[in-house]
Amino acid sequence: MSDSEQSSGESGSYVEAGGFERDTNYIETRITADGRDGFPVEAGRYRLVVARACPWANRAIIVRRLLGLEDALSMGICGPTHDKRSWTFDLDPGGVDPVLQIPRLQDAFFARDPNYSRGITVPAVVEISTGKVVTNDYPQMTLDFSTEWTQYHREGAPDLYPEPLRDEIDDVAEKIFHDVNNGVYKCGFAGSQDAYEEAYDALFARLDWLSDRLENQRFLVGDTITEADVRLFTTLARFDPVYHGHFKCNRSKLSEMPVLWAYARDLFQTPGFGDTTDFVHIKSHYYEVHTDINPTGIVPKGPDVSSWLSPHGREALGGRPFGDGTPPGEPKESERVPADHWA
C-alpha cells in the first residue's frame, strides 16, 4: 500500500494473494434527526469536506445538490492532490479552509482522536464549533442526507432512496460497489497477475450485467434517479479519463459500451451530475498522487470530454429523472466547477 493510497480517501491494503482490500472501517457516528449519536441534524452546525477528484466524495456533492442542502450544510473543497499526510485546502486563500480555519483535513480527524491512525478520507462531515470530524462513513452519509435531513430538503427535492425500493437499491448498489466502484481499484492496485485478472474479469462481467439491465430501462431501479445511479455514475465518469489506462481496465472504454455510455451521458446532462464533475481535478489526482503506478506524474492530455454533451437518446425509454420533484437550480457561484473542467 502506497502512502498516497493510504491518505487519498481511497485507503486500502494488499492481502497476501496480491489483491487490493479496501479499509472500510470508517468513523460510523451518524448525524440524525433525533440525534441519537449525539449529533442532531441542524442547519449551519456542520461542514461537508470533499474533493472533487474523489468518486466517493463526488457522491456526497451530487446528493447534497440534488436535495438542496447547500444552505443547511456548507461545503469545503480540498484540492486534487495531497501529500501522504492529508488532503489539503490549497484551493483556498492561504491554503486554509475559511470556515474550519485548518490547512489540512487531518487536523479535524486529530481533533476528534489525537491517535487517529487510519486514512484521512473524504467525504467527511466536521462539526464547525469543535473542529472535530463527526463521520467519514460515506455510504451511510448520503443515505442520511436523503432520510435524516428531510426538514432541510429543497421544495421539489427527489426521493433518492424511496422506501418501497430500498432492498433493491441496496442489492444493486452492493453489486456495483464490489465489482465496479471498488473493482477498478482492485485492478489498479493488484499486487499479482492473478489478482488483477480476477478483478478485471469481475469488473467487465458486472459492466455487461449493468448494460443488460439498462438496455430497456432508463435508470437502475424504478423509473427515477436513485442512490444506485449516483453510486454508479461517479465511477463511469472516471472510467475513460483514468481507469481505462491508469488502472489497466482496458477491455473497453466507456465510450465503446453503447448502453452504459448513453446512460452516463444522460446522467451527466442532468443538473447535479455533470456540473459537479471536474475532469481536470480527477486526472490531476490519480496521475499525480499515485506515484507508485505513475512515477513520472505526467497527466494525460486527453480524452476529449466534449462528447459527454452529445445526444444520448435515453428519453425514449421514458422514466422521470426527478419523479414528482424538480431539477435543482444553478449551483452556488462559489461551488461552480470551472466550465473548462467539465465540458
Side-chain angles (χ1 to χ4, degrees), residues 109-196:
F109 281 78
F110 287 169
R112 169 145 181 180
D113 179 3
N115 298 312
Y116 187 82
S117 60
R118 309 193 78 87
I120 308 299
T121 64
V122 289
V125 179
V126 179
E127 186 178 37
I128 296 171
S129 63
T130 63
K132 298 178 180 180
V133 66
V134 177
T135 182
N136 64 338
D137 186 359
Y138 69 89
Q140 187 62 49
M141 187 184 299
T142 49
L143 297 181
D144 284 345
F145 287 172
S146 285
T147 60
E148 301 290 339
W149 287 74
T150 53
Q151 63 179 306
Y152 297 111
H153 288 185
R154 65 178 175 86
E155 184 177 353
D159 187 352
L160 300 175
Y161 197 48
E163 195 160 0
L165 298 178
R166 287 181 186 176
D167 287 346
E168 186 177 0
I169 292 170
D170 291 345
D171 178 63
V172 171
E174 188 72 8
K175 289 180 170 68
I176 291 170
F177 171 76
H178 283 292
D179 296 333
V180 181
N181 300 145
N182 200 37
V184 293
Y185 287 91
K186 292 177 184 177
C187 291
F189 288 100
S192 73
Q193 188 70 33
D194 287 345
Y196 162 71

Coordinates of all heavy atoms in Angstrom, one line a residue, residues 109-196:
F109 N -9.6 15.3 12.0 CA -9.5 13.9 12.5 C -8.7 13.8 13.8 O -9.2 13.2 14.8 CB -8.9 13.0 11.5 CG -9.8 12.6 10.3 CD1 -10.1 13.4 9.3 CD2 -10.4 11.3 10.3 CE1 -10.9 13.1 8.3 CE2 -11.2 10.9 9.3 CZ -11.5 11.8 8.3
F110 N -7.6 14.6 13.9 CA -6.8 14.6 15.1 C -7.6 15.3 16.2 O -7.3 15.0 17.4 CB -5.5 15.2 14.9 CG -4.5 14.3 14.1 CD1 -3.3 14.8 13.6 CD2 -4.8 12.9 13.9 CE1 -2.5 13.9 12.9 CE2 -4.0 12.1 13.2 CZ -2.8 12.6 12.7
A111 N -8.4 16.3 15.9 CA -9.2 17.0 16.9 C -10.1 16.0 17.6 O -10.4 16.1 18.8 CB -9.9 18.2 16.3
R112 N -10.6 15.1 16.8 CA -11.5 14.1 17.4 C -10.7 13.0 18.2 O -11.1 12.6 19.2 CB -12.4 13.5 16.3 CG -13.1 12.2 16.8 CD -14.5 12.1 16.3 NE -15.1 10.9 16.8 CZ -16.3 10.5 16.5 NH1 -17.0 11.1 15.6 NH2 -16.9 9.4 17.1
D113 N -9.6 12.6 17.6 CA -8.8 11.5 18.1 C -7.4 11.8 17.8 O -6.9 11.5 16.7 CB -9.2 10.1 17.6 CG -8.4 9.0 18.1 OD1 -7.5 9.2 19.0 OD2 -8.6 7.8 17.7
P114 N -6.6 12.3 18.8 CA -5.2 12.6 18.6 C -4.4 11.4 18.1 O -3.3 11.6 17.5 CB -4.7 13.1 19.9 CG -6.0 13.6 20.6 CD -7.0 12.6 20.2
N115 N -4.9 10.2 18.4 CA -4.1 9.0 18.0 C -4.7 8.3 16.7 O -4.4 7.2 16.4 CB -4.2 8.0 19.2 CG -3.5 8.5 20.4 OD1 -2.4 9.1 20.3 ND2 -4.1 8.4 21.5
Y116 N -5.5 9.1 16.0 CA -6.2 8.5 14.8 C -5.1 8.0 13.8 O -4.2 8.8 13.5 CB -7.1 9.6 14.2 CG -7.9 9.0 13.0 CD1 -9.1 8.3 13.3 CD2 -7.5 9.2 11.7 CE1 -9.9 7.8 12.2 CE2 -8.2 8.6 10.6 CZ -9.4 8.0 10.9 OH -10.2 7.5 9.9
S117 N -5.2 6.8 13.4 CA -4.1 6.2 12.6 C -4.6 5.7 11.2 O -3.8 5.1 10.5 CB -3.5 5.1 13.4 OG -4.4 4.1 13.7
R118 N -5.9 5.8 10.9 CA -6.4 5.3 9.7 C -6.3 6.4 8.6 O -5.8 7.5 8.8 CB -7.8 4.8 9.9 CG -8.0 3.9 11.1 CD -9.3 3.2 11.0 NE -9.3 2.0 10.1 CZ -8.9 0.8 10.4 NH1 -8.4 0.5 11.6 NH2 -8.9 -0.1 9.5
G119 N -6.9 6.1 7.4 CA -6.8 7.0 6.3 C -7.6 8.3 6.6 O -8.6 8.3 7.2
I120 N -7.0 9.4 6.1 CA -7.7 10.7 6.2 C -8.5 10.8 5.0 O -8.0 11.2 3.9 CB -6.7 11.9 6.4 CG1 -5.7 11.6 7.5 CG2 -7.4 13.2 6.6 CD1 -6.3 11.5 8.9
T121 N -9.8 10.5 5.0 CA -10.6 10.3 3.8 C -11.7 11.4 3.6 O -12.2 12.0 4.6 CB -11.3 8.9 3.8 OG1 -12.2 8.9 4.9 CG2 -10.3 7.8 4.0
V122 N -12.0 11.6 2.4 CA -13.2 12.4 2.0 C -14.2 11.5 1.4 O -13.8 10.5 0.8 CB -12.8 13.5 1.0 CG1 -11.9 14.6 1.7 CG2 -12.0 13.0 -0.2
P123 N -15.5 11.8 1.5 CA -16.0 13.0 2.2 C -16.0 12.8 3.7 O -16.0 11.6 4.2 CB -17.5 13.0 1.7 CG -17.8 11.6 1.5 CD -16.5 11.0 1.0
A124 N -16.0 13.9 4.4 CA -16.0 13.9 5.9 C -16.9 15.0 6.3 O -16.9 16.1 5.7 CB -14.6 14.0 6.5
V125 N -17.7 14.8 7.4 CA -18.5 15.9 7.9 C -17.9 16.3 9.3 O -17.6 15.5 10.1 CB -20.0 15.4 8.2 CG1 -20.8 16.6 8.8 CG2 -20.6 15.0 6.9
V126 N -17.6 17.6 9.4 CA -16.9 18.2 10.5 C -17.9 19.1 11.3 O -18.6 19.9 10.7 CB -15.7 18.9 10.1 CG1 -15.0 19.5 11.3 CG2 -14.7 18.0 9.3
E127 N -17.9 19.0 12.6 CA -18.7 19.9 13.5 C -17.9 21.2 13.5 O -16.7 21.2 14.0 CB -18.9 19.3 14.8 CG -19.8 20.2 15.7 CD -20.1 19.5 17.1 OE1 -19.1 18.9 17.6 OE2 -21.2 19.7 17.6
I128 N -18.5 22.3 13.1 CA -17.8 23.5 13.0 C -17.3 24.1 14.3 O -16.2 24.5 14.5 CB -18.7 24.6 12.2 CG1 -18.9 24.1 10.8 CG2 -18.0 26.0 12.2 CD1 -20.0 24.9 10.1
S129 N -18.2 24.0 15.3 CA -17.8 24.7 16.6 C -16.6 24.0 17.3 O -15.9 24.6 18.0 CB -19.0 24.6 17.5 OG -19.4 23.3 17.9
T130 N -16.5 22.7 17.1 CA -15.4 21.9 17.8 C -14.3 21.6 16.9 O -13.2 21.3 17.4 CB -15.9 20.6 18.4 OG1 -16.4 19.8 17.3 CG2 -17.1 20.8 19.4
G131 N -14.5 21.7 15.6 CA -13.5 21.4 14.6 C -13.2 19.9 14.5 O -12.2 19.5 13.9
K132 N -14.1 19.1 15.1 CA -13.9 17.6 15.1 C -14.7 16.9 14.0 O -15.8 17.3 13.8 CB -14.3 17.0 16.5 CG -13.5 17.6 17.7 CD -14.1 17.0 19.0 CE -13.3 17.5 20.2 NZ -13.8 16.9 21.4
V133 N -14.0 16.0 13.3 CA -14.8 15.2 12.4 C -15.8 14.4 13.1 O -15.6 13.8 14.2 CB -13.8 14.3 11.6 CG1 -13.2 13.2 12.4 CG2 -14.5 13.7 10.4
V134 N -17.0 14.3 12.5 CA -18.1 13.6 13.0 C -18.2 12.2 12.4 O -18.2 11.2 13.0 CB -19.5 14.3 12.8 CG1 -20.6 13.4 13.4 CG2 -19.5 15.6 13.5
T135 N -18.1 12.2 11.0 CA -18.1 10.9 10.3 C -17.4 11.0 9.0 O -17.4 12.1 8.4 CB -19.6 10.5 10.1 OG1 -19.6 9.2 9.4 CG2 -20.4 11.5 9.3
N136 N -16.9 9.9 8.5 CA -16.4 9.8 7.2 C -16.9 8.5 6.5 O -16.4 8.0 5.6 CB -14.8 9.8 7.1 CG -14.2 8.6 7.8 OD1 -14.8 8.0 8.7 ND2 -13.0 8.3 7.4
D137 N -18.0 8.1 7.1 CA -18.7 6.9 6.6 C -19.5 7.2 5.3 O -20.7 7.5 5.4 CB -19.6 6.3 7.7 CG -20.2 4.9 7.3 OD1 -20.0 4.5 6.2 OD2 -20.9 4.4 8.2
Y138 N -18.9 7.3 4.2 CA -19.5 7.8 3.0 C -20.7 7.1 2.5 O -21.7 7.7 2.0 CB -18.5 8.0 1.9 CG -18.0 6.7 1.3 CD1 -18.6 6.1 0.2 CD2 -16.9 6.0 1.8 CE1 -18.2 4.9 -0.3 CE2 -16.4 4.8 1.3 CZ -17.1 4.2 0.3 OH -16.7 3.0 -0.2
P139 N -20.8 5.7 2.6 CA -22.1 5.1 2.1 C -23.3 5.5 3.0 O -24.3 5.7 2.4 CB -21.7 3.6 2.2 CG -20.3 3.5 2.4 CD -19.8 4.7 3.1
Q140 N -23.1 5.5 4.3 CA -24.2 5.9 5.1 C -24.5 7.4 5.0 O -25.7 7.8 5.2 CB -23.9 5.5 6.6 CG -25.1 5.7 7.5 CD -26.3 4.8 7.2 OE1 -26.1 3.6 7.0 NE2 -27.4 5.4 7.1
M141 N -23.5 8.2 4.8 CA -23.6 9.6 4.8 C -24.7 10.1 3.8 O -25.6 10.9 4.1 CB -22.3 10.3 4.4 CG -22.2 11.8 4.5 SD -20.6 12.4 4.0 CE -19.5 11.6 5.1
T142 N -24.6 9.6 2.5 CA -25.6 10.0 1.5 C -27.0 9.5 1.8 O -28.0 10.2 1.5 CB -25.1 9.6 0.1 OG1 -24.7 8.2 0.1 CG2 -23.9 10.5 -0.3
L143 N -27.1 8.3 2.4 CA -28.4 7.8 2.7 C -29.0 8.7 3.8 O -30.2 8.9 3.8 CB -28.3 6.3 3.2 CG -27.8 5.3 2.2 CD1 -27.8 3.9 2.8 CD2 -28.7 5.3 0.9
D144 N -28.2 9.1 4.8 CA -28.7 10.0 5.8 C -29.1 11.4 5.3 O -30.0 12.0 5.7 CB -27.7 10.1 6.9 CG -27.6 8.9 7.8 OD1 -28.5 8.1 7.8 OD2 -26.6 8.8 8.6
F145 N -28.4 11.9 4.3 CA -28.8 13.1 3.6 C -30.2 13.0 3.1 O -31.0 13.9 3.2 CB -27.9 13.5 2.4 CG -26.5 14.0 2.8 CD1 -25.5 14.1 1.8 CD2 -26.2 14.3 4.1 CE1 -24.3 14.6 2.2 CE2 -24.9 14.7 4.5 CZ -24.0 14.9 3.5
S146 N -30.5 11.8 2.6 CA -31.9 11.5 2.0 C -32.9 11.3 3.1 O -34.1 11.7 2.9 CB -31.8 10.3 1.1 OG -31.2 10.7 -0.2
T147 N -32.6 10.6 4.1 CA -33.6 10.2 5.1 C -33.6 11.0 6.4 O -34.7 11.0 7.1 CB -33.4 8.7 5.4 OG1 -32.1 8.5 6.0 CG2 -33.5 7.9 4.1
E148 N -32.5 11.5 6.8 CA -32.4 12.2 8.1 C -32.5 13.8 8.0 O -32.9 14.4 8.9 CB -31.2 11.8 8.9 CG -31.0 10.3 9.1 CD -32.0 9.8 10.2 OE1 -32.5 10.6 11.0 OE2 -32.3 8.6 10.2
W149 N -32.1 14.3 6.9 CA -32.0 15.7 6.7 C -33.3 16.3 5.9 O -33.2 17.4 5.3 CB -30.8 16.1 5.9 CG -29.5 16.0 6.6 CD1 -28.8 14.8 7.0 CD2 -28.7 17.0 7.1 NE1 -27.7 15.1 7.7 CE2 -27.6 16.5 7.8 CE3 -28.8 18.4 7.1 CZ2 -26.6 17.2 8.4 CZ3 -27.8 19.2 7.7 CH2 -26.7 18.6 8.3
T150 N -34.4 15.6 6.0 CA -35.5 15.9 5.2 C -36.1 17.3 5.5 O -36.6 17.9 4.6 CB -36.7 14.9 5.3 OG1 -36.9 14.7 6.7 CG2 -36.2 13.5 4.8
Q151 N -36.0 17.7 6.7 CA -36.5 19.1 7.0 C -35.8 20.2 6.3 O -36.3 21.3 6.2 CB -36.4 19.3 8.5 CG -35.0 19.4 9.1 CD -35.0 19.6 10.6 OE1 -35.6 20.6 11.1 NE2 -34.4 18.8 11.4
Y152 N -34.6 19.9 5.8 CA -33.9 20.9 5.0 C -33.8 20.7 3.5 O -33.1 21.4 2.8 CB -32.4 21.0 5.6 CG -32.4 21.5 7.1 CD1 -32.1 20.6 8.1 CD2 -32.8 22.8 7.4 CE1 -32.1 21.0 9.4 CE2 -32.8 23.2 8.7 CZ -32.5 22.3 9.7 OH -32.5 22.7 11.0
H153 N -34.5 19.7 3.1 CA -34.6 19.4 1.6 C -35.3 20.6 0.9 O -36.2 21.2 1.5 CB -35.3 18.1 1.3 CG -34.6 16.9 1.7 ND1 -35.1 15.6 1.4 CD2 -33.4 16.7 2.3 CE1 -34.2 14.7 1.8 NE2 -33.2 15.3 2.3
R154 N -34.8 20.9 -0.3 CA -35.5 22.0 -1.0 C -36.9 21.5 -1.5 O -37.2 20.3 -1.5 CB -34.7 22.3 -2.3 CG -34.5 21.2 -3.3 CD -33.7 21.6 -4.5 NE -33.5 20.4 -5.4 CZ -34.4 20.0 -6.3 NH1 -35.5 20.7 -6.5 NH2 -34.1 19.0 -7.1
E155 N -37.7 22.4 -1.8 CA -39.0 22.1 -2.4 C -38.8 21.5 -3.7 O -38.0 22.0 -4.5 CB -39.9 23.4 -2.5 CG -41.3 23.1 -3.0 CD -42.1 24.3 -3.1 OE1 -41.6 25.4 -2.7 OE2 -43.2 24.3 -3.6
G156 N -39.4 20.3 -3.9 CA -39.2 19.6 -5.2 C -38.0 18.6 -5.2 O -37.6 18.1 -6.2
A157 N -37.4 18.4 -4.0 CA -36.3 17.5 -3.9 C -36.7 16.1 -4.3 O -37.8 15.7 -3.9 CB -35.7 17.5 -2.5
P158 N -35.9 15.4 -5.0 CA -36.3 14.0 -5.4 C -36.1 13.0 -4.2 O -35.4 13.3 -3.3 CB -35.3 13.6 -6.5 CG -34.1 14.4 -6.2 CD -34.6 15.7 -5.6
D159 N -36.8 11.9 -4.3 CA -36.6 10.9 -3.3 C -35.6 9.9 -3.9 O -35.9 9.1 -4.7 CB -38.0 10.2 -3.0 CG -37.9 9.2 -1.9 OD1 -36.7 8.9 -1.4 OD2 -38.9 8.6 -1.4
L160 N -34.4 10.0 -3.4 CA -33.3 9.2 -3.9 C -33.2 7.8 -3.3 O -32.5 6.9 -3.8 CB -32.0 9.9 -3.8 CG -31.8 11.3 -4.4 CD1 -30.5 11.9 -4.1 CD2 -32.0 11.1 -5.9
Y161 N -34.0 7.6 -2.2 CA -34.0 6.3 -1.5 C -35.4 6.0 -1.1 O -35.7 5.8 0.1 CB -33.0 6.5 -0.3 CG -32.6 5.2 0.3 CD1 -32.0 4.1 -0.5 CD2 -32.6 5.0 1.7 CE1 -31.6 3.0 0.1 CE2 -32.2 3.8 2.3 CZ -31.7 2.8 1.5 OH -31.2 1.6 2.1
P162 N -36.3 5.8 -2.1 CA -37.7 5.5 -1.8 C -37.8 4.2 -1.0 O -37.3 3.2 -1.4 CB -38.4 5.4 -3.2 CG -37.2 5.2 -4.1 CD -36.0 5.8 -3.6
E163 N -38.6 4.3 0.0 CA -38.7 3.1 0.9 C -39.1 1.8 0.2 O -38.6 0.8 0.5 CB -39.7 3.5 2.1 CG -39.6 2.5 3.2 CD -40.1 3.1 4.5 OE1 -40.6 4.2 4.5 OE2 -40.1 2.3 5.5
P164 N -40.1 1.8 -0.7 CA -40.5 0.6 -1.3 C -39.4 -0.1 -2.1 O -39.5 -1.3 -2.4 CB -41.7 1.0 -2.2 CG -42.2 2.3 -1.7 CD -41.0 2.9 -1.1
L165 N -38.4 0.7 -2.5 CA -37.4 0.2 -3.4 C -36.0 0.0 -2.7 O -35.0 -0.3 -3.4 CB -37.2 1.1 -4.6 CG -38.4 1.3 -5.5 CD1 -38.1 2.3 -6.6 CD2 -38.8 0.0 -6.1
R166 N -36.0 0.2 -1.4 CA -34.7 0.2 -0.7 C -33.9 -1.1 -0.8 O -32.7 -1.1 -0.9 CB -34.9 0.7 0.7 CG -35.1 2.2 0.8 CD -35.3 2.6 2.3 NE -35.7 4.0 2.3 CZ -36.0 4.7 3.4 NH1 -35.9 4.1 4.6 NH2 -36.4 6.0 3.3
D167 N -34.6 -2.2 -0.7 CA -34.0 -3.5 -0.7 C -33.3 -3.7 -2.1 O -32.2 -4.2 -2.2 CB -34.9 -4.6 -0.4 CG -35.3 -4.7 1.0 OD1 -34.7 -4.1 1.9 OD2 -36.3 -5.4 1.3
E168 N -34.0 -3.3 -3.1 CA -33.5 -3.5 -4.5 C -32.3 -2.5 -4.7 O -31.3 -2.9 -5.3 CB -34.5 -3.3 -5.5 CG -34.1 -3.6 -6.9 CD -35.2 -3.5 -8.0 OE1 -36.3 -3.1 -7.6 OE2 -34.9 -3.7 -9.2
I169 N -32.5 -1.3 -4.3 CA -31.4 -0.3 -4.4 C -30.1 -0.8 -3.7 O -29.0 -0.7 -4.2 CB -31.8 1.1 -3.8 CG1 -32.9 1.7 -4.7 CG2 -30.6 2.0 -3.7 CD1 -33.6 2.9 -4.1
D170 N -30.3 -1.3 -2.4 CA -29.2 -1.8 -1.6 C -28.5 -3.0 -2.3 O -27.3 -3.0 -2.4 CB -29.6 -2.2 -0.2 CG -30.1 -1.1 0.6 OD1 -29.8 0.1 0.3 OD2 -30.7 -1.3 1.7
D171 N -29.3 -3.8 -2.9 CA -28.7 -5.0 -3.6 C -27.9 -4.6 -4.8 O -26.8 -5.1 -5.0 CB -29.8 -6.0 -4.0 CG -29.3 -7.2 -4.7 OD1 -28.6 -8.0 -4.1 OD2 -29.7 -7.3 -5.9
V172 N -28.5 -3.7 -5.6 CA -27.8 -3.3 -6.8 C -26.5 -2.5 -6.4 O -25.5 -2.7 -7.0 CB -28.7 -2.4 -7.7 CG1 -27.9 -1.8 -8.8 CG2 -29.8 -3.3 -8.3
A173 N -26.7 -1.6 -5.5 CA -25.5 -0.8 -5.0 C -24.4 -1.7 -4.5 O -23.2 -1.4 -4.7 CB -26.0 0.2 -4.0
E174 N -24.7 -2.7 -3.8 CA -23.7 -3.6 -3.2 C -22.9 -4.3 -4.4 O -21.7 -4.5 -4.3 CB -24.4 -4.7 -2.3 CG -23.4 -5.6 -1.6 CD -22.6 -4.8 -0.5 OE1 -23.0 -3.7 -0.2 OE2 -21.7 -5.4 0.1
K175 N -23.7 -4.8 -5.4 CA -23.0 -5.4 -6.5 C -22.1 -4.4 -7.2 O -21.0 -4.8 -7.6 CB -24.1 -6.0 -7.5 CG -24.8 -7.2 -7.0 CD -25.8 -7.6 -8.0 CE -26.5 -9.0 -7.7 NZ -27.3 -8.9 -6.5
I176 N -22.6 -3.2 -7.4 CA -21.8 -2.2 -8.1 C -20.5 -1.9 -7.3 O -19.4 -1.7 -7.8 CB -22.6 -0.9 -8.3 CG1 -23.7 -1.2 -9.3 CG2 -21.8 0.3 -8.7 CD1 -24.7 0.0 -9.4
F177 N -20.7 -1.8 -5.9 CA -19.5 -1.5 -5.1 C -18.4 -2.5 -5.3 O -17.3 -2.2 -5.6 CB -19.9 -1.4 -3.6 CG -18.7 -1.2 -2.7 CD1 -18.0 -0.1 -2.6 CD2 -18.2 -2.3 -2.0 CE1 -16.9 0.0 -1.8 CE2 -17.1 -2.3 -1.2 CZ -16.4 -1.1 -1.1
H178 N -18.8 -3.8 -5.1 CA -17.7 -4.8 -5.1 C -17.0 -5.0 -6.4 O -15.8 -5.1 -6.5 CB -18.3 -6.1 -4.6 CG -18.6 -6.2 -3.2 ND1 -17.6 -6.2 -2.2 CD2 -19.7 -6.2 -2.4 CE1 -18.1 -6.3 -1.0 NE2 -19.4 -6.3 -1.1
D179 N -17.8 -4.9 -7.5 CA -17.2 -5.3 -8.8 C -16.8 -4.0 -9.6 O -16.0 -4.2 -10.5 CB -18.2 -6.1 -9.6 CG -18.5 -7.5 -8.9 OD1 -17.6 -7.9 -8.2 OD2 -19.6 -8.0 -9.1
V180 N -17.5 -2.9 -9.4 CA -17.2 -1.7 -10.2 C -16.6 -0.6 -9.5 O -15.4 -0.2 -9.7 CB -18.5 -1.2 -10.9 CG1 -18.3 0.0 -11.8 CG2 -19.2 -2.3 -11.7
N181 N -17.3 0.0 -8.5 CA -16.7 1.1 -7.7 C -15.3 0.7 -7.1 O -14.3 1.4 -7.3 CB -17.6 1.5 -6.5 CG -19.0 2.0 -6.9 OD1 -19.9 1.8 -6.2 ND2 -19.1 2.7 -8.1
N182 N -15.3 -0.4 -6.4 CA -14.1 -0.9 -5.8 C -13.3 -1.8 -6.8 O -12.1 -2.0 -6.7 CB -14.4 -1.7 -4.6 CG -13.2 -1.8 -3.6 OD1 -12.4 -0.9 -3.5 ND2 -13.0 -2.9 -3.0
G183 N -14.0 -2.3 -7.8 CA -13.4 -3.2 -8.7 C -12.3 -2.6 -9.5 O -11.3 -3.2 -9.8
V184 N -12.5 -1.3 -9.9 CA -11.4 -0.6 -10.7 C -10.2 -0.5 -9.8 O -9.0 -0.6 -10.3 CB -11.9 0.7 -11.2 CG1 -13.0 0.6 -12.2 CG2 -12.4 1.6 -10.1
Y185 N -10.3 -0.3 -8.5 CA -9.2 -0.2 -7.6 C -8.5 -1.6 -7.5 O -7.3 -1.7 -7.3 CB -9.6 0.3 -6.3 CG -9.9 1.8 -6.3 CD1 -11.2 2.3 -6.6 CD2 -8.9 2.7 -6.2 CE1 -11.5 3.6 -6.6 CE2 -9.2 4.1 -6.2 CZ -10.4 4.5 -6.5 OH -10.7 5.9 -6.6
K186 N -9.3 -2.6 -7.4 CA -8.7 -4.0 -7.4 C -7.9 -4.3 -8.6 O -6.8 -5.0 -8.5 CB -9.8 -5.0 -7.3 CG -10.6 -5.0 -6.0 CD -11.8 -6.0 -6.1 CE -12.7 -6.0 -4.8 NZ -13.8 -6.9 -4.9
C187 N -8.3 -3.7 -9.7 CA -7.4 -3.8 -10.9 C -6.2 -3.0 -10.8 O -5.0 -3.4 -11.0 CB -8.2 -3.4 -12.2 SG -9.5 -4.5 -12.7
G188 N -6.4 -1.7 -10.5 CA -5.3 -0.8 -10.5 C -4.2 -1.0 -9.4 O -3.0 -0.8 -9.6
F189 N -4.6 -1.5 -8.3 CA -3.7 -1.8 -7.2 C -3.4 -3.2 -6.9 O -2.9 -3.6 -5.9 CB -4.1 -1.1 -5.9 CG -4.0 0.4 -6.0 CD1 -5.1 1.2 -6.2 CD2 -2.8 1.0 -5.7 CE1 -5.1 2.6 -6.3 CE2 -2.7 2.4 -5.8 CZ -3.8 3.2 -6.1
A190 N -3.7 -4.1 -7.9 CA -3.4 -5.5 -7.7 C -1.9 -5.7 -7.6 O -1.1 -5.1 -8.2 CB -3.9 -6.3 -9.0
G191 N -1.6 -6.7 -6.7 CA -0.2 -7.0 -6.5 C 0.3 -8.2 -7.1 O 1.4 -8.6 -7.0
S192 N -0.6 -8.8 -7.9 CA -0.2 -10.0 -8.7 C -1.0 -10.1 -9.9 O -2.1 -9.5 -10.0 CB -0.4 -11.3 -7.8 OG -1.8 -11.6 -7.7
Q193 N -0.5 -10.8 -10.9 CA -1.2 -11.0 -12.2 C -2.6 -11.7 -12.0 O -3.6 -11.3 -12.6 CB -0.4 -11.8 -13.2 CG -0.9 -11.9 -14.6 CD -0.9 -10.5 -15.3 OE1 0.1 -9.8 -15.1 NE2 -1.8 -10.2 -16.1
D194 N -2.6 -12.7 -11.1 CA -3.8 -13.5 -10.9 C -4.9 -12.6 -10.3 O -6.1 -12.6 -10.7 CB -3.6 -14.7 -10.0 CG -2.8 -15.8 -10.8 OD1 -2.8 -15.7 -12.0 OD2 -2.3 -16.7 -10.1
A195 N -4.5 -11.8 -9.3 CA -5.5 -10.9 -8.6 C -6.0 -9.9 -9.6 O -7.2 -9.6 -9.6 CB -4.8 -10.2 -7.4
Y196 N -5.1 -9.3 -10.4 CA -5.5 -8.4 -11.4 C -6.5 -9.0 -12.4 O -7.6 -8.4 -12.7 CB -4.3 -7.8 -12.2 CG -4.7 -7.2 -13.5 CD1 -5.3 -5.9 -13.5 CD2 -4.4 -7.8 -14.7 CE1 -5.6 -5.3 -14.7 CE2 -4.7 -7.2 -15.9 CZ -5.3 -6.0 -15.9 OH -5.7 -5.4 -17.1

